Amino acid sequence: MSPRLPTSAALLAFALAGCTTMADLPDRRIGSATISLPNGQPVGTAQFAQVGNTATVAVALTGIAPGTHGIHLHTTGACAAPDFTSAAGHLNPLDRKHGSAAPGGKHEGDLPNIVIGSGGSGTLTADLMGTPDQVRSWLFDADGTAIVVHAAPDDYVTDPSGNSGARIACGVVKPA
């Protein structure tokens, strides 16, 4: 698989997902991650960008088992195979509960589930909480941040992890 394919797909996702005018296109890249399986095989990318006063992430995956998968930002920028537990827990700089229905709002690491189609590919675009400057400071703190794909869907309720199962792919977020 060409490493350019997921990057192109992620950029295309930014261009197509919800953009209705040129003003909706990203102003500035914040960072990116190459997402890989435990064997080191790259399976996708995450692109972080600033769109006006919003920080957005666009993820493109290929080569993942079809179905719905939880995907989260994790608090440590480390992806040691085979289980990626080196990425630690979910990114939660505001000390909130997990899940989109959590009182007081979800934590920063919560992202919507990503659906992988029968062909093994899927995309996700989501706005992140906080201003672009806050997001930069959270992503690129002293120990960095990882983006992790899980084997099962996030239930959007169970604290702190969404009951989304094993960590099956991981990427360290690097500044642009």
Side-chain angles (χ1 to χ4, degrees), residues 98-172:
H98 178 84
S100 54
K106 63 184 183 170
H107 59 241
E108 185 66 22
D110 287 342
L111 296 174
N113 287 322
I114 188 167
V115 177
I116 305 299
S118 60
S121 296
T123 62
L124 167 72
T125 301
D127 290 340
L128 301 173
M129 297 181 324
T131 67
D133 286 339
Q134 287 173 315
V135 170
R136 275 185 203 86
S137 71
W138 297 334
L139 292 176
F140 307 118
D141 64 358
D143 61 0
T145 300
I147 186 163
V148 176
V149 180
H150 294 267
D154 185 324
D155 65 14
Y156 300 127
V157 177
T158 305
D159 191 51
S161 67
N163 198 31
S164 50
R167 300 170 185 201
I168 61 170
C170 184
V172 175

Side-chain angles (χ1 to χ4, degrees), residues 26-52:
D27 299 333
R28 182 172 149 198
R29 283 189 62 205
I30 294 172
S32 64
T34 298
I35 302 168
S36 299
L37 298 172
N39 67 4
Q41 172 73 33
V43 291
T45 63
Q47 302 292 325
F48 296 81
Q50 179 176 337
V51 181

Side-chain angles (χ1 to χ4, degrees), residues 51-131:
V51 181
N53 291 323
T54 303
T56 302
V57 61
V59 179
L61 297 173
T62 188
I64 299 283
T68 303
H69 297 271
I71 185 167
H72 305 105
L73 299 175
H74 283 248
T75 191
T76 304
C79 290
D83 60 7
F84 305 123
T85 56
S86 59
H90 292 181
L91 183 63
N92 190 6
L94 301 176
D95 197 32
R96 294 183 174 167
K97 298 290 185 190
H98 178 84
S100 54
K106 63 184 183 170
H107 59 241
E108 185 66 22
D110 287 342
L111 296 174
N113 287 322
I114 188 167
V115 177
I116 305 299
S118 60
S121 296
T123 62
L124 167 72
T125 301
D127 290 340
L128 301 173
M129 297 181 324
T131 67

